[in-house]
Amino acid sequence: MLPDQNKPCILIYLAPHPSGEEKLREVQAGMEEEGIPYTVVQSNETNAAALSYEGASKSKLGVGVGIGLEDLCIHYVKLPAQKPLFSLQEAGSPVQWRHFGYNAARLVKGIPFKDRPSKNESYETNHRDDLYQVVYRIVQKVLQESAQGHGEVKAWSKTL
């Protein structure tokens, strides 16, 4: 499938392989959380640097992500083909793949990159408190808007 040349988005070039869909799902989630659109293009190329450079050179936003057989790269159109901005030269983990999505989107937005997580970090552990804050705000809003007016929910105390 060829990308829509008029759509401003990050192009994700994907080499077909068994773990490709899982990696793709996490990269997409990171971009979606940052609010940047993307298009996925299947390719027979297997090298992530080459894939990401092709994506960056064809993207209206100048950013490409390559998901190769053993590696993952983010490229910016103004960088040399052999020098991707970010590169993961191992299989990696879901939290690392999601951070690639975040950072590709942040490159487009022009905001600071997120620090690279370690391979063993868990997405759930990193975001448990953030999730709690979101749920807390939702519950507060629902209670304030309800006709019953049960009052404020008591703050949660952390006991880990």
Side-chain angles (χ1 to χ4, degrees), residues 3-132:
D4 180 354
Q5 297 295 322
N6 296 318
K7 181 181 177 185
C9 63
I10 294 173
L11 293 179
I12 304 171
Y13 274 68
L14 174 67
H17 62 289
S19 63
E21 291 300 317
E22 184 181 5
K23 290 177 184 177
L24 176 62
R25 186 173 46 252
E26 292 300 324
V27 169
Q28 289 172 313
M31 290 179 189
E32 288 169 0
E33 289 177 29
E34 292 289 337
I36 299 296
Y38 57 84
T39 297
V40 178
V41 179
Q42 298 287 331
S43 177
N44 291 326
E45 173 64 57
T46 58
N47 178 277
L51 290 165
S52 62
Y53 184 76
E54 185 173 356
S57 64
K58 292 181 179 176
S59 167
K60 281 200 163 276
L61 299 176
V63 177
V65 174
I67 301 175
L69 296 179
E70 298 291 326
D71 49 354
L72 188 66
C73 291
I74 298 172
H75 224 300
Y76 184 57
V77 70
K78 294 184 179 183
L79 295 175
Q82 313 79 2
K83 301 277 187 186
L85 182 62
F86 291 109
S87 183
L88 180 64
Q89 298 298 315
E90 60 184 359
S93 69
V95 78
Q96 289 174 310
W97 305 329
R98 186 169 293 214
H99 270 72
F100 267 73
Y102 291 145
N103 285 336
R106 286 170 170 243
L107 176 58
V108 170
K109 292 164 84 173
I111 62 175
F113 298 118
K114 286 193 172 209
D115 290 335
R116 182 177 281 185
S118 72
K119 186 175 182 177
N120 298 324
E121 274 188 72
S122 162
Y123 182 76
E124 291 78 22
T125 302
N126 290 339
H127 299 289
R128 182 180 14 216
D129 290 339
D130 292 342
L131 178 60
Y132 166 76

